[in-house]
Amino acid sequence: MDLSNNLKNRYCPKLFTFIEVTRDGGCWLCCPAWLPKKIGNILTQSFDEIWNGDTAKELRNQVFTGNWNYCRHTVCPEIVQNFLPDLSEAPDNIKKQHTHVADLPTVINFSEDESCNLQCPSCRISKIIYKKGTHEYNSRKKVNENVQDIFFKNPTDRYFEINVTGSGDPFGSIIYREMLQSIDGKKFPNLKVNLNTNAVIFTPKNWYKIHKIHNNLQNCRISFDAGTKHTYETKTRVGGDWDMLLENCKFLNERSKEFKNFKLHFDFVVQYDNYHEMKDYVKLILDNFDNASSIHFSKVIDWNTWSSDKYESKAIWKETHPNYNDFIIHLSDDILNHKKVYLGNLKQYVKENL
């Protein structure tokens, strides 16, 4: 699908505001799956060398050339849904075609530790939890400390957001769990904390342990990837506890009413094993979590954990898949038109008048 015409005179705020740091210290201006071009390494370069280096400027220049050669057009949900804002709405420095950004990024995505309490087949072939004292833990801890040193060394009233995490689970990781417990939100009054979690161990106990950032919490994205207990525990979230997930989400639903800036978002990554439960998932969220802000879908990305044949068998949205037509039928269910539902990069497969 050619979406290049949709990008003429558009801009992507991420290129000027966002940075993601991965396990080896690599830095990116977007999710590496959407924009697979590294801009530098936090362990070997100064931050300005990374943030305003030649590669970062080259990627930002896409906005001004209109070519957008580096972005994966059919994977990025902002491109697929035609959500990129018009260039006329951009800040002045972007309108003036500046590729140098004087300010620090306002969104930092922590992705250096893959530790997680679950073993999801689409993401990993075995459970990953790095314990203190191991080489794997120490190397990731060093990256994390470098990032914290840039953004948390001194108190500031500067607005910025942190996303924890794009690589594992914020409570399954010792590094992230301790980081979240240590941040004093009063020293960073305009800090916003976004959590990406499977929520199985986002228990009341862990909620209270991060009390110093309760007023800083902004978005909490909870991955379900199923509409039933069986699929969740045996197919998409191996090692997960469906009943504990629902119990924790009900607790968090009530906390989101207490802390008005704390928003709950629910995620479902679509593949062969769960596409038939998209309707069940939406109904489950609407029926059980009345304060849910949004319900999201996206297609599973090939993280090289499956063989190529195995991945093809999971990629239900491909026209070559034997169940493709059935997937299209499920995608057209009326409940997926609910105002809280966002189809993300699945929107391109919606058929009108089916």
Side-chain angles (χ1 to χ4, degrees):
M1 179 178 291
D2 182 11
L3 301 172
S4 57
N5 290 335
N6 293 345
L7 306 184
K8 300 295 183 183
N9 297 315
R10 299 296 184 92
Y11 84 101
C12 177
K14 276 192 171 183
L15 298 174
F16 302 86
T17 62
F18 176 99
I19 194 160
E20 177 163 336
V21 184
T22 53
R23 62 185 179 185
D24 63 349
C27 298
W28 314 74
L29 290 183
C30 187
C31 170
W34 303 348
L35 179 56
K37 181 77 171 177
K38 189 186 301 185
I39 63 170
N41 191 291
I42 202 167
L43 295 177
T44 59
Q45 298 171 273
S46 71
F47 191 74
D48 191 61
E49 286 176 326
I50 300 167
W51 186 235
N52 285 305
D54 290 342
T55 304
K57 290 180 177 179
E58 183 180 2
L59 295 178
R60 292 174 186 136
N61 200 46
Q62 290 183 113
V63 173
F64 312 126
T65 64
N67 292 327
W68 297 82
N69 294 327
Y70 296 102
C71 298
R72 297 180 66 189
H73 295 201
T74 59
V75 176
C76 171
E78 301 300 307
I79 293 177
V80 170
Q81 296 180 99
N82 198 26
F83 280 174
L84 290 180
D86 193 89
L87 190 56
S88 64
E89 302 171 4
D92 287 342
N93 65 311
I94 299 177
K95 289 179 181 177
K96 293 177 181 178
Q97 301 193 7
H98 292 170
T99 56
H100 179 97
V101 179
D103 298 326
L104 287 172
T106 53
V107 183
I108 305 96
N109 205 44
F110 286 81
S111 290
E112 65 269 19
D113 186 9
E114 311 97 303
S115 294
C116 184
N117 52 298
L118 301 186
Q119 178 188 332
C120 304
S122 62
C123 177
R124 55 200 66 202
I125 59 176
S126 61
K127 185 177 288 188
I128 301 174
I129 296 181
Y130 296 125
K131 297 182 179 179
K132 291 184 177 182
T134 63
H135 169 73
E136 291 82 5
Y137 173 90
N138 290 337
S139 62
R140 287 156 178 78
K141 180 68 172 176
K142 183 176 181 180
V143 174
N144 180 265
E145 288 173 345
N146 279 27
V147 179
Q148 287 199 61
D149 192 54
I150 294 168
F151 297 100
F152 290 104
K153 186 174 183 178
N154 299 307
T156 179
D157 61 0
R158 184 180 82 92
Y159 177 90
F160 67 109
E161 302 179 19
I162 62 171
N163 299 328
V164 189
T165 169
S167 55
D169 187 85
F171 301 100
S173 161
I174 298 172
I175 292 173
Y176 293 139
R177 194 164 64 238
E178 292 184 346
M179 180 182 75
L180 292 171
Q181 292 172 10
S182 68
I183 296 172
D184 185 348
K186 292 181 179 179
K187 295 181 179 179
F188 306 95
N190 293 312
L191 165 69
K192 303 300 179 185
V193 178
N194 303 312
L195 301 174
N196 297 327
T197 177
N198 58 60
V200 173
I201 52 176
F202 195 178
T203 59
K205 181 178 179 179
N206 276 322
W207 164 266
Y208 292 117
K209 282 187 176 181
I210 60 170
H211 65 94
K212 290 190 292 185
I213 56 170
H214 279 172
N215 289 315
N216 302 90
L217 292 173
Q218 180 173 248
N219 297 310
C220 180
R221 305 189 70 91
I222 300 173
S223 56
F224 263 66
D225 290 7
T228 66
K229 177 183 177 73
H230 175 75
T231 297
Y232 181 87
E233 294 186 349
T234 66
K235 299 288 186 180
T236 59
R237 285 284 181 258
V238 178
D241 185 325
W242 178 257
D243 298 323
M244 180 64 75
L245 168 67
L246 297 184
E247 183 179 333
N248 290 342
C249 287
K250 288 176 181 178
F251 172 82
L252 295 171
N253 185 69
E254 295 309 305
R255 300 291 73 70
S256 70
K257 297 175 183 178
E258 180 182 355
F259 295 88
K260 301 301 183 182
N261 293 324
F262 180 48
K263 308 297 183 184
L264 293 181
H265 309 273
F266 296 88
D267 287 345
F268 187 111
V269 178
V270 177
Q271 55 164 294
Y272 170 72
D273 293 318
N274 63 12
Y275 79 92
H276 55 286
E277 295 184 359
M278 293 188 291
K279 174 182 177 179
D280 297 328
Y281 155 72
V282 174
K283 189 174 187 303
L284 174 77
I285 302 303
L286 294 176
D287 288 349
N288 289 278
F289 313 118
D290 62 338
N291 213 38
S293 291
S294 63
I295 304 169
H296 291 257
F297 290 94
S298 63
K299 58 184 181 181
V300 70
I301 299 296
D302 185 2
W303 297 112
N304 297 317
T305 54
W306 286 317
S307 66
S308 58
D309 288 344
K310 188 75 168 179
Y311 177 72
E312 289 299 313
S313 74
K314 302 295 184 181
I316 188 68
W317 57 87
K318 292 192 176 185
E319 292 187 7
T320 53
H321 197 287
N323 294 78
Y324 172 78
N325 289 333
D326 192 46
F327 159 67
I328 295 302
I329 292 172
H330 280 79
L331 192 61
S332 66
D333 193 284
D334 283 345
I335 200 169
L336 271 65
N337 291 319
H338 191 280
K339 63 182 180 180
K340 288 188 176 182
V341 171
Y342 295 85
L343 292 178
N345 53 24
L346 290 183
K347 189 174 179 63
Q348 60 192 300
Y349 303 102
V350 175
K351 307 297 183 183
E352 300 295 335
N353 303 317
L354 190 66

